[in-house]
Amino acid sequence: QLELWPGRLAGVRLLRGFALVGRFQYGINSQTVIEDENNAALGARTFWTSLEVSARQQFLIAGKFIAEVNLGYAGDQHQFEGLDSDIAKVPDAYYQSVKIAILVDKLEPYLAAENRIVMSGGPLAKRFDSTGGSDVSGFRGALGVGVKVGKITGRVEGSLTRYSWTFADNGMTDTNGAVDSIKQVSITAGYAY
């Protein structure tokens, strides 16, 4: 994760709370998918990444509370590698969303909530394009604690991201909806100058 604080760098007091944020995560524990029906291994393996680019503004309220508004792009790639015939059996999705977040921070613990306006669901949505379509929405919540010792900063955060699907009745599946629930724990460390 990289944060750039242009207002502080330029010495503009009005923009001291403004930051540009970039984050990239890559899943290093690729797993083979198991079929439910006969418990046999498919040729598909997980391939998951997460990318975020956003602008953030913090406001100090009454000298004690920090309120933060965050607007940006989030790309959550929860896809699979392997043969097309195996990938057709799994929920292969690439969520591209506009994120709108509000965070309230007192001292170092924090709580965050994001609405994800999904612009594209990727390959999973395309399966339903010709047969009535699909609809997807997203949400992310996080709870964490940050620490700052001199110029060294750190953060531990637990988060839950949920994408909810509604499918048109099209005979392709025996369900009318699905949910992707992604739970993450992240630990970051940095140097502020």
Short mmCIF file of all heavy atoms in Angstrom, two decimals, residues 123-135 166-173 175-176:
data_model
loop_
_atom_site.label_atom_id
_atom_site.label_comp_id
_atom_site.label_asym_id
_atom_site.label_seq_id
_atom_site.Cartn_x
_atom_site.Cartn_y
_atom_site.Cartn_z
N PRO A 123 -16.55 -12.42 -15.74
CA PRO A 123 -17.02 -13.61 -16.46
C PRO A 123 -18.33 -14.19 -15.93
O PRO A 123 -19.15 -14.68 -16.70
CB PRO A 123 -15.87 -14.61 -16.27
CG PRO A 123 -14.68 -13.76 -16.03
CD PRO A 123 -15.18 -12.56 -15.28
N LEU A 124 -18.56 -14.16 -14.62
CA LEU A 124 -19.79 -14.72 -14.07
C LEU A 124 -21.01 -13.98 -14.60
O LEU A 124 -22.01 -14.60 -14.98
CB LEU A 124 -19.76 -14.69 -12.54
CG LEU A 124 -20.92 -15.37 -11.83
CD1 LEU A 124 -21.02 -16.83 -12.23
CD2 LEU A 124 -20.78 -15.24 -10.33
N ALA A 125 -20.95 -12.65 -14.68
CA ALA A 125 -22.08 -11.88 -15.20
C ALA A 125 -22.32 -12.19 -16.68
O ALA A 125 -23.47 -12.25 -17.12
CB ALA A 125 -21.81 -10.38 -15.03
N LYS A 126 -21.25 -12.43 -17.44
CA LYS A 126 -21.40 -12.71 -18.87
C LYS A 126 -22.14 -14.01 -19.14
O LYS A 126 -22.76 -14.17 -20.18
CB LYS A 126 -20.02 -12.72 -19.55
CG LYS A 126 -19.40 -11.35 -19.61
CD LYS A 126 -18.03 -11.38 -20.23
CE LYS A 126 -17.40 -10.00 -20.18
NZ LYS A 126 -16.02 -10.00 -20.61
N ARG A 127 -22.09 -14.95 -18.20
CA ARG A 127 -22.81 -16.22 -18.38
C ARG A 127 -24.32 -16.01 -18.48
O ARG A 127 -25.03 -16.81 -19.05
CB ARG A 127 -22.54 -17.16 -17.21
CG ARG A 127 -21.13 -17.66 -17.12
CD ARG A 127 -20.98 -18.63 -15.98
NE ARG A 127 -19.58 -18.88 -15.68
CZ ARG A 127 -19.17 -19.60 -14.66
NH1 ARG A 127 -20.04 -20.15 -13.84
NH2 ARG A 127 -17.88 -19.78 -14.46
N PHE A 128 -24.81 -14.89 -17.89
CA PHE A 128 -26.24 -14.66 -17.83
C PHE A 128 -26.72 -13.55 -18.77
O PHE A 128 -27.89 -13.23 -18.80
CB PHE A 128 -26.65 -14.31 -16.39
CG PHE A 128 -26.41 -15.44 -15.43
CD1 PHE A 128 -25.19 -15.57 -14.78
CD2 PHE A 128 -27.38 -16.39 -15.20
CE1 PHE A 128 -24.96 -16.61 -13.90
CE2 PHE A 128 -27.17 -17.44 -14.32
CZ PHE A 128 -25.95 -17.55 -13.68
N ASP A 129 -25.80 -12.95 -19.54
CA ASP A 129 -26.16 -11.83 -20.42
C ASP A 129 -27.23 -12.20 -21.44
O ASP A 129 -28.14 -11.43 -21.70
CB ASP A 129 -24.93 -11.30 -21.15
CG ASP A 129 -24.07 -10.41 -20.25
OD1 ASP A 129 -24.55 -10.07 -19.14
OD2 ASP A 129 -22.95 -10.07 -20.65
N SER A 130 -27.12 -13.38 -22.02
CA SER A 130 -28.04 -13.75 -23.10
C SER A 130 -29.31 -14.44 -22.59
O SER A 130 -30.19 -14.77 -23.37
CB SER A 130 -27.33 -14.68 -24.09
OG SER A 130 -26.95 -15.87 -23.43
N THR A 131 -29.42 -14.64 -21.29
CA THR A 131 -30.56 -15.39 -20.75
C THR A 131 -31.29 -14.65 -19.64
O THR A 131 -31.77 -15.26 -18.71
CB THR A 131 -30.09 -16.75 -20.24
OG1 THR A 131 -29.08 -16.53 -19.25
CG2 THR A 131 -29.57 -17.63 -21.34
N GLY A 132 -31.34 -13.34 -19.69
CA GLY A 132 -32.10 -12.59 -18.70
C GLY A 132 -31.27 -11.71 -17.79
O GLY A 132 -31.80 -10.84 -17.13
N GLY A 133 -29.99 -11.98 -17.70
CA GLY A 133 -29.10 -11.09 -16.97
C GLY A 133 -28.95 -11.43 -15.50
O GLY A 133 -29.50 -12.38 -14.97
N SER A 134 -28.16 -10.57 -14.83
CA SER A 134 -27.88 -10.72 -13.41
C SER A 134 -27.69 -9.33 -12.83
O SER A 134 -27.48 -8.36 -13.54
CB SER A 134 -26.62 -11.57 -13.21
OG SER A 134 -25.50 -10.91 -13.79
N ASP A 135 -27.75 -9.27 -11.51
CA ASP A 135 -27.53 -8.01 -10.80
C ASP A 135 -26.61 -8.30 -9.63
O ASP A 135 -26.74 -9.33 -8.96
CB ASP A 135 -28.87 -7.45 -10.32
CG ASP A 135 -28.72 -6.07 -9.71
OD1 ASP A 135 -27.99 -5.24 -10.29
OD2 ASP A 135 -29.31 -5.83 -8.64
N THR A 166 -28.03 -11.59 -7.88
CA THR A 166 -29.37 -12.05 -8.21
C THR A 166 -29.36 -12.46 -9.67
O THR A 166 -28.96 -11.68 -10.53
CB THR A 166 -30.42 -10.92 -8.00
OG1 THR A 166 -30.33 -10.46 -6.65
CG2 THR A 166 -31.81 -11.42 -8.28
N PHE A 167 -29.77 -13.70 -9.94
CA PHE A 167 -29.77 -14.23 -11.30
C PHE A 167 -31.20 -14.31 -11.83
O PHE A 167 -32.12 -14.67 -11.10
CB PHE A 167 -29.16 -15.64 -11.36
CG PHE A 167 -27.77 -15.72 -10.81
CD1 PHE A 167 -27.45 -16.65 -9.84
CD2 PHE A 167 -26.77 -14.88 -11.26
CE1 PHE A 167 -26.17 -16.74 -9.32
CE2 PHE A 167 -25.49 -14.96 -10.75
CZ PHE A 167 -25.19 -15.90 -9.78
N ALA A 168 -31.36 -14.01 -13.11
CA ALA A 168 -32.66 -14.19 -13.76
C ALA A 168 -32.94 -15.69 -13.89
O ALA A 168 -32.01 -16.49 -14.02
CB ALA A 168 -32.67 -13.53 -15.14
N ASP A 169 -34.20 -16.07 -13.82
CA ASP A 169 -34.58 -17.47 -13.98
C ASP A 169 -34.34 -17.88 -15.43
O ASP A 169 -35.06 -17.46 -16.33
CB ASP A 169 -36.05 -17.66 -13.61
CG ASP A 169 -36.46 -19.12 -13.65
OD1 ASP A 169 -35.56 -19.98 -13.65
OD2 ASP A 169 -37.67 -19.38 -13.67
N ASN A 170 -33.29 -18.67 -15.66
CA ASN A 170 -32.91 -18.95 -17.04
C ASN A 170 -32.59 -20.40 -17.33
O ASN A 170 -32.15 -20.74 -18.41
CB ASN A 170 -31.71 -18.08 -17.42
CG ASN A 170 -30.56 -18.30 -16.45
OD1 ASN A 170 -30.46 -19.34 -15.83
ND2 ASN A 170 -29.69 -17.33 -16.33
N GLY A 171 -32.77 -21.27 -16.37
CA GLY A 171 -32.49 -22.68 -16.59
C GLY A 171 -31.01 -23.04 -16.55
O GLY A 171 -30.67 -24.21 -16.64
N MET A 172 -30.11 -22.07 -16.43
CA MET A 172 -28.68 -22.36 -16.39
C MET A 172 -28.23 -22.84 -15.02
O MET A 172 -27.20 -23.47 -14.88
CB MET A 172 -27.86 -21.13 -16.77
CG MET A 172 -27.94 -20.75 -18.22
SD MET A 172 -26.90 -19.32 -18.57
CE MET A 172 -25.29 -19.91 -18.13
N THR A 173 -28.99 -22.50 -14.00
CA THR A 173 -28.60 -22.84 -12.64
C THR A 173 -29.85 -23.14 -11.82
O THR A 173 -30.94 -22.71 -12.17
CB THR A 173 -27.79 -21.68 -12.01
OG1 THR A 173 -27.45 -22.03 -10.67
CG2 THR A 173 -28.56 -20.39 -12.01
N THR A 175 -30.34 -22.04 -8.84
CA THR A 175 -30.46 -21.01 -7.80
C THR A 175 -30.77 -19.67 -8.45
O THR A 175 -30.50 -19.46 -9.62
CB THR A 175 -29.16 -20.92 -6.97
OG1 THR A 175 -29.35 -19.97 -5.93
CG2 THR A 175 -27.99 -20.47 -7.83
N ASN A 176 -31.34 -18.76 -7.66
CA ASN A 176 -31.63 -17.43 -8.20
C ASN A 176 -30.70 -16.36 -7.62
O ASN A 176 -30.92 -15.18 -7.82
CB ASN A 176 -33.09 -17.05 -7.96
CG ASN A 176 -33.44 -17.04 -6.49
OD1 ASN A 176 -32.60 -17.31 -5.64
ND2 ASN A 176 -34.69 -16.75 -6.19
#
